């Protein structure tokens, strides 16, 4: 039996209204590529799109990093799976002109199968380099002094400075991922875990919800409160964008990309060189500083939302000699050694003597 012919299909808006800024950007790029290459959305060649991004994905025409290409493809796959699950919508979009029900069903089944195969990550793998070791700059962890310098960099004299200080403080004091930071709502700031003040992460990686106790780092809330008071934020997203004047809030929450831009605006000195840090650098800093302060690695794992303790240990990083020194956990009477006649233990020819039976 031959496959049914593939129709031109009705146009579809790949960018859903509720998409965040990053998803809108990625899906908009994909839609533009589909139009430029005259490809239908329901039979996408994601391998070709991957190659396009790897070669010319940047806005200046340069190549995108493999990790960024993977993020683009993940967003595209998620959106196409949403469309795929809407079978009624599939009928309306790709088979509106076919009156025969059996023919319509065969057509839609064929296209759904094609789309399923196209969305398999194995159909468009992104080459990734496996790193046995990474240089310190690729997985930076700030010292307490460097973290303090970063906290002081934005200043507190402007709304933007207040907001940016709140961003840095929350990242350093809670170890949040940037997406989790952007997702914070006002009620999330003050929840309780076992009677202890904690931050509520509504939707972490893998849709996992968790609570992060502040402990002695609850001072970050004073910074956030000052930002909210200056911006008149009493409900909704905690962190929001500002127009260029710096005096008016943008609608909606701060984007993940904006968090990266904020940190990039405040370079700090590391080993005598000005460097910029990433949100993940501050997440690693949170893990490393808490471990150095004596917090159990399992507690750090739970605060970070890691499934595997090995991942958390990677965030903590290599330990220095002082941290690796074992404590005195055994006892031994060294005075007994003074009673052993060493010269009598062996004969001159090296054979054991009776004294070795001591």
């Amino acid at each position: 039996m031959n496959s049914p012919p593939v129709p031109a299909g009705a146009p579809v808006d790949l960018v859903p209204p509720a998409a965040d800024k990053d998803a809108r950007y990625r899906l908009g790029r994909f839609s533009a590529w589909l139009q430029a290459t005259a490809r239908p959305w329901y039979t996408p060649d994601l391998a070709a799109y991957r190659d396009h991004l790897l070669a010319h994905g940047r806005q200046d025409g340069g190549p995108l990093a493999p990790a960024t290409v993977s993020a683009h493809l993940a967003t595209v796959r998620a959106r196409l799976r949403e469309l795929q699950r809407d079978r009624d919508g599939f009928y309306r979009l790709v088979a509106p002109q076919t009156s025969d029900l059996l023919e319509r069903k065969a057509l839609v089944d064929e296209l759904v199968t094609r789309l399923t195969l196209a969305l398999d990550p194995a159909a468009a793998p992104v080459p990734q380099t496996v790193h046995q070791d990474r240089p310190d700059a690729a997985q930076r962890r700030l010292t307490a002094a460097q973290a303090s310098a970063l906290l002081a960099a934005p200043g507190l004299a402007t709304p933007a400075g207040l907001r940016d200080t709140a961003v840095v403080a929350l990242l350093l004091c809670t170890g949040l991922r940037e997406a989790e930071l952007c997702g914070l709502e006002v009620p999330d700031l003050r929840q309780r875990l076992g009677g202890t003040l904690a931050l509520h992460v509504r939707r972490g990686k893998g849709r996992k919800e968790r609570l992060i106790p502040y402990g002695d780092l609850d001072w970050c809330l004073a910074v956030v409160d000052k930002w909210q008071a200056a911006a008149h934020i009493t409900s909704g997203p905690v962190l929001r964008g500002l127009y260029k004047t710096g005096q008016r809030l943008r609608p909606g929450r701060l984007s993940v990309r904006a968090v990266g831009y904020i940190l990039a605006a405040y370079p700090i000195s590391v080993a005598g060189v000005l460097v910029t840090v990433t949100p993940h650098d501050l997440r690693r800093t949170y893990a490393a500083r808490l471990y150095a302060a004596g917090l159990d690695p399992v507690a750090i794992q739970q605060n970070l939302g890691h499934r595997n303790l090995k991942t958390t240990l990677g965030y903590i990083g290599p330990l220095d000699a002082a941290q690796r020194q074992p404590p005195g956990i055994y006892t031994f009477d060294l005075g007994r050694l003074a009673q052993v006649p060493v010269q009598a233990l062996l004969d001159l020819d090296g054979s054991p003597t009776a004294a070795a039976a001591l």
Side-chain angles (χ1 to χ4, degrees):
M1 178 178 178
N2 295 329
S3 299
V6 178
V12 60
D13 187 1
L14 290 178
V15 185
D20 61 26
K21 184 176 180 180
D22 292 297
R24 289 199 302 272
Y25 173 75
R26 294 167 185 167
L27 293 173
R29 292 283 306 274
F30 181 62
S31 296
W33 179 79
L34 288 177
Q35 294 176 9
T37 57
R39 300 172 189 266
W41 64 268
Y42 44 80
T43 55
D45 186 348
L46 293 188
Y49 187 53
R50 171 206 61 197
D51 295 341
H52 165 72
L53 293 177
L54 286 171
H56 311 290
R58 287 209 319 252
Q59 291 184 338
D60 62 2
L64 276 182
T68 306
V69 173
S70 293
H72 275 260
L73 293 180
T75 301
V76 169
R77 288 191 182 101
R79 176 56 177 151
L80 293 181
R81 286 192 183 101
E82 289 179 356
L83 295 170
Q84 182 186 35
R85 287 192 293 268
D86 182 9
R87 189 60 70 95
D88 291 338
F90 228 105
Y91 276 97
R92 291 193 303 271
L93 290 169
V94 303
Q97 74 279 21
T98 307
S99 58
D100 185 88
L101 293 180
L102 290 179
E103 185 179 343
R104 289 180 68 193
K105 183 178 185 307
L107 172 62
V108 171
D109 286 347
E110 170 74 11
L111 295 179
V112 167
T113 299
R114 292 189 191 185
L115 185 54
T116 300
L117 294 174
L119 294 182
D120 186 345
V126 179
Q128 300 280 359
T129 301
V130 178
H131 301 275
Q132 175 179 310
D133 303 296
R134 286 181 177 272
D136 292 345
Q139 44 184 4
R140 200 180 306 281
R141 298 167 186 84
L142 302 185
T143 65
Q146 291 165 349
S148 298
L150 181 61
L151 277 164
L156 304 175
T158 64
L162 273 173
R163 183 208 54 196
D164 296 353
T165 304
V167 166
V168 174
L170 282 169
L171 289 172
L172 284 171
C173 295
T174 64
L176 289 172
R177 301 177 177 93
E178 54 262 58
E180 296 168 348
L181 177 78
C182 296
L184 287 178
E185 303 276 331
V186 171
D188 299 333
L189 295 171
R190 287 178 169 85
Q191 296 296 321
R192 293 279 170 177
L193 178 63
T196 299
L197 188 65
L199 179 74
H200 182 204
V201 178
R202 295 169 180 262
R203 187 174 178 178
K205 191 174 181 178
R207 297 178 180 269
K208 183 162 63 173
E209 184 180 15
R210 72 184 188 279
L211 288 162
I212 306 171
Y214 289 105
D216 292 339
L217 300 179
D218 59 358
W219 56 263
C220 68
L221 289 174
V223 181
V224 179
D225 289 346
K226 186 65 72 172
W227 150 248
Q228 289 180 262
H232 304 289
I233 295 173
T234 57
S235 62
V238 173
L239 299 169
R240 310 185 191 187
L242 293 165
Y243 286 104
K244 289 185 178 180
T245 61
Q247 302 300 317
R248 290 179 53 212
L249 288 177
R250 288 182 178 272
R253 64 185 70 251
L254 202 65
S255 71
V256 169
R257 184 174 301 171
V259 174
Y261 290 153
I262 287 171
L263 293 182
Y266 305 109
I268 59 171
S269 176
V270 175
V273 178
L274 282 180
V275 300
T276 58
V277 298
T278 68
H280 233 68
D281 290 335
L282 301 191
R283 187 164 158 83
R284 280 187 287 266
T285 299
Y286 173 84
R289 298 281 64 80
L290 262 60
Y291 182 80
L295 196 64
D296 189 280
V298 175
I300 300 173
Q301 173 193 357
Q302 293 177 355
N303 287 356
L304 290 176
H306 287 154
R307 292 183 179 180
N308 194 314
L309 181 59
K310 183 178 178 181
T311 304
T312 305
L313 295 177
Y315 277 56
I316 292 172
L319 307 181
D320 60 31
Q323 293 172 307
R324 293 172 62 181
Q325 292 186 63
I329 56 178
Y330 309 118
T331 58
F332 182 78
D333 184 4
L334 294 177
R336 293 174 57 198
L337 293 177
Q339 303 172 12
V340 178
V342 177
Q343 294 82 356
L345 291 181
L346 291 173
D347 288 334
L348 291 178
D349 61 1
S351 60
T353 67
L358 288 175

